[in-house]
Amino acid sequence: MSSLVKDNPAKRRFEILVDDALAGFAEYAQPQGELVVFTRTEVDPRYQEKGVGSELVRRALDHVRARGGRVVPECPFVAAFINRHPEYAGLVTEAP
């Protein structure tokens, strides 16, 4: 199972493709500079319980970190992921 995570700014979401099929996405609000407010994460039922959601969030956060951004995890899934992976805690900031 090969996966690819990419930012889709037109739809304001990071998408994960598994074997070239859309398996899930993490939506964000209209960007405010380098601030990304994650609002919702959804994984296709066929890919749930397989680590796809965690892979999506991990790679989305890595993408934000690489461009020097910060995140507001309004989405409960993203917030829980960050709580379980403290190496991402430094990306979190308060909503403006």
Side-chain angles (χ1 to χ4, degrees):
M1 183 167 77
S2 67
S3 66
L4 167 72
V5 174
K6 63 179 184 168
D7 188 7
N8 183 340
K11 292 188 176 181
R12 292 198 316 255
R13 66 188 194 181
F14 284 90
E15 300 172 337
I16 187 165
L17 304 174
V18 176
D19 298 330
D20 296 322
L22 180 64
F25 54 86
E27 291 181 338
Y28 52 83
Q30 179 66 38
Q32 302 168 25
E34 294 302 314
L35 182 65
V36 179
V37 179
F38 285 100
T39 56
R40 182 170 76 109
T41 301
E42 185 174 310
V43 174
D44 185 295
R46 295 174 292 169
Y47 299 99
Q48 291 177 358
E49 305 302 323
K50 296 181 179 179
V52 171
S54 293
E55 179 71 11
L56 167 62
V57 172
R58 174 180 285 110
R59 297 195 31 212
L61 292 173
D62 287 344
H63 183 87
V64 172
R65 178 185 284 159
R67 64 181 193 218
R70 303 293 299 266
V71 300
V72 176
E74 288 183 358
C75 167
F77 187 86
V78 174
F81 179 89
I82 292 170
N83 284 338
R84 288 191 315 273
H85 298 88
E87 64 270 25
Y88 293 104
L91 292 175
V92 177
T93 189
E94 296 294 318

